[in-house]
Amino acid sequence: EDKVVQSPLSLVVHEGDTVTLNCSYEVTNFRSLLWYKQEKKAPTFLFMLTSSGIEKKSGRLSSILDKKELFSILNITATQTGDSAVYLCIGGNNRKLIWGLGTSLAVNP
Amino acid sequence: SQTIHQWPATLVQPVGSPLSLECTVEGTSNPNLYWYRQAAGRGLQLLFYSVGIGQISSEVPQNLSASRPQDRQFILSSKKLLLSDSGFYLCAWSVRVVGETQYFGPGTRLLVL
């Protein structure tokens, strides 16, 4: 059965810390892995990863995919209180998207 | 640029009443369209997706239905709401390849009393 598992489920850090969020997946005919950030409302897109070993960066956020070990990580450096959110990982093939339950990150000042 | 709208933003309905939530997309043609529900403390659940006008796939059996009367319009409906239908309903679109990035609307918060 296809599944996406995120860890940790919940994380509390202090401003300035660096965090690594994990996502492992088992997706038949895997095509892509996506990361979203969800605050109080709709998820906003962060990254789409299709190739192994190529890091994608956006400001303090970066992500990389390992298609051999079937996982991805999302790194956030120098965290800020505005990074507090649920981070969602999604694995997709050409037929469906499989959602993880998310990692809830709280950044305390 | 593409935008996605959902209406209404918040809705409070009595049990047994009908429901109609609307989602419209601008700035793109032939999108895939999706309805999700997020219940309190739970993850996103895909309810329906559509690859074209009149083409609806249901992911889970339930009290809800979806329709796509126009290329960029997706409607979520119910004839009789249940308490368990309460939640946050999100519409999303993607280009016509599943597995591509989805872009979400602002969502509709539904409370069934």
Side-chain angles (χ1 to χ4, degrees):
Chain A
E1 181 185 347
D2 292 336
K3 61 182 179 181
V4 171
V5 179
Q6 292 186 244
S7 63
L9 290 178
S10 180
L11 186 60
V12 181
V13 300
H14 293 290
E15 268 193 315
D17 289 349
T18 293
V19 298
T20 298
L21 310 183
N22 303 293
C23 175
S24 64
Y25 65 90
E26 293 177 25
V27 176
T28 308
N29 297 321
F30 173 81
R31 173 188 174 88
S32 61
L33 188 135
L34 304 111
W35 284 98
Y36 284 81
K37 175 183 180 183
Q38 184 175 26
E39 296 171 86
K40 291 186 179 179
K41 288 202 169 181
T44 53
F45 171 72
L46 296 176
F47 300 109
M48 177 177 170
L49 304 159
T50 56
S51 300
S52 216
I54 299 174
E55 185 184 53
K56 292 208 171 181
K57 283 181 72 73
S58 176
R60 296 176 293 102
L61 276 66
S62 64
S63 184
I64 197 163
L65 177 67
D66 186 328
K67 291 169 78 170
K68 181 179 177 184
E69 300 297 330
L70 306 182
F71 77 89
S72 174
I73 59 172
L74 176 67
N75 273 325
I76 308 174
T77 58
T79 51
Q80 302 172 356
T81 54
D83 295 327
S84 297
V86 175
Y87 290 84
L88 297 162
C89 174
I90 303 103
N93 56 24
N94 63 347
R95 296 188 62 188
K96 60 182 177 180
L97 295 173
I98 300 96
W99 293 73
L101 291 179
T103 293
S104 177
L105 172 66
V107 181
N108 292 331
Chain B
S1 65
Q2 300 88 2
T3 55
I4 179 168
H5 306 279
Q6 285 187 244
W7 184 90
T10 304
L11 192 60
V12 181
Q13 292 277 96
V15 168
S17 64
L19 173 74
S20 181
L21 303 183
E22 186 168 337
C23 170
T24 57
V25 181
E26 297 176 359
T28 185
S29 297
N30 303 317
N32 278 359
L33 295 171
Y34 308 83
W35 276 112
Y36 289 88
R37 174 171 57 204
Q38 188 170 38
R42 300 178 66 179
L44 279 165
Q45 180 186 34
L46 180 63
L47 302 174
F48 301 96
Y49 72 92
S50 171
V51 299
I53 295 174
Q55 299 179 62
I56 310 294
S57 296
S58 175
E59 288 294 298
V60 292
Q62 61 206 309
N63 181 42
L64 301 168
S65 63
S67 62
R68 185 168 177 176
Q70 300 180 49
D71 180 48
R72 288 170 287 179
Q73 184 184 30
F74 205 21
I75 296 173
L76 184 69
S77 304
S78 174
K79 291 183 179 178
K80 285 188 176 181
L81 283 169
L82 306 172
L83 288 175
S84 57
D85 291 325
S86 294
F88 189 48
Y89 288 83
L90 288 159
C91 180
W93 74 272
S94 70
V95 297
R96 272 209 166 185
V97 178
V98 181
E100 289 288 337
T101 304
Q102 294 187 349
Y103 300 93
F104 288 85
T108 294
R109 193 164 299 282
L110 172 65
L111 180 60
V112 182
L113 300 176

